[in-house]
Amino acid sequence: MKKILVAPSILSADFNNLLHDIKEVEKAKADWLHFDVMDGHFVPNISFGIPVLKSISKSHSMVNDVHIMISEPKKYAPEFIKSGAEFLTFHYEACKDDQEVFEVIDLIHSLNGKAGLSIKPNTKVEILDKFLEKLDLVLVMSVEPGFGGQSFIPSALDKIAYLRRAIDEKGLPCLIEVDGGINGETAKLCKEAGVDVLVAGSYLFGHDDLAKRIEGLKE
Ligand code: DX5
Ligand code: ZN
């Protein structure tokens, strides 16, 4: 039985009690901690960056899964790795061409990071084909990046199924992560489609039954 990994997104955490919320999800056996970095340029929202990652990446034992929704990922990638990012996922749409995508992947690997590539809902999944052999993770956005609490976009399921087939046919180690509008129902659909990692923000943080919800996502 495949182990489904759960990555709570701290964008939905209580920033007045950030360490408390992180400890809560850690206690509830979350596997990864998802950091949503937004620059107000690539996406129409600004969240947090290096200082937050630096200060909390070492305060827990979960994997630091950093999702950078920023322009110029090549310029900033080293700083995120040095600040504690273990998985660093950047956007295909933030790169000027395929060459730059390969350069960012190689740069992350040169700094011993794991490289993830994310596509927005309107980006065709086939563009990932040429990168899969070099990637440690592909992140399928099931909402338009920029905000937590949005509704799941069902076309993400076809992308997950497509990637599951492509990765399995080639016997690649690349993980499939889905992000946006994940709850008990949408998680089930994503697992049936072949996902490995579930990101969830508003479904987890701020709920008393957080531990039960995490357990439910893993089933
Ligand atoms: C959106 C972020 C997501 C979001 C998830 O741009 O990448 O990680 O915070 O939040 P929910 O689970 O509430 O959709
Ligand atoms: Zn995210």
Side-chain angles (χ1 to χ4, degrees), residues 202-216:
S202 52
Y203 180 64
L204 297 177
F205 287 110
H207 298 280
D208 297 343
D209 60 343
L210 176 141
K212 207 159 128 276
R213 288 178 178 225
I214 289 179
E215 201 187 319

Side-chain angles (χ1 to χ4, degrees), residues 29-45:
K29 299 201 178 1
D31 304 280
W32 296 8
L33 193 65
H34 189 79
F35 290 75
D36 281 314
V37 180
M38 300 176 184
D39 65 358
H41 183 255
F42 178 71
V43 291
N45 194 7

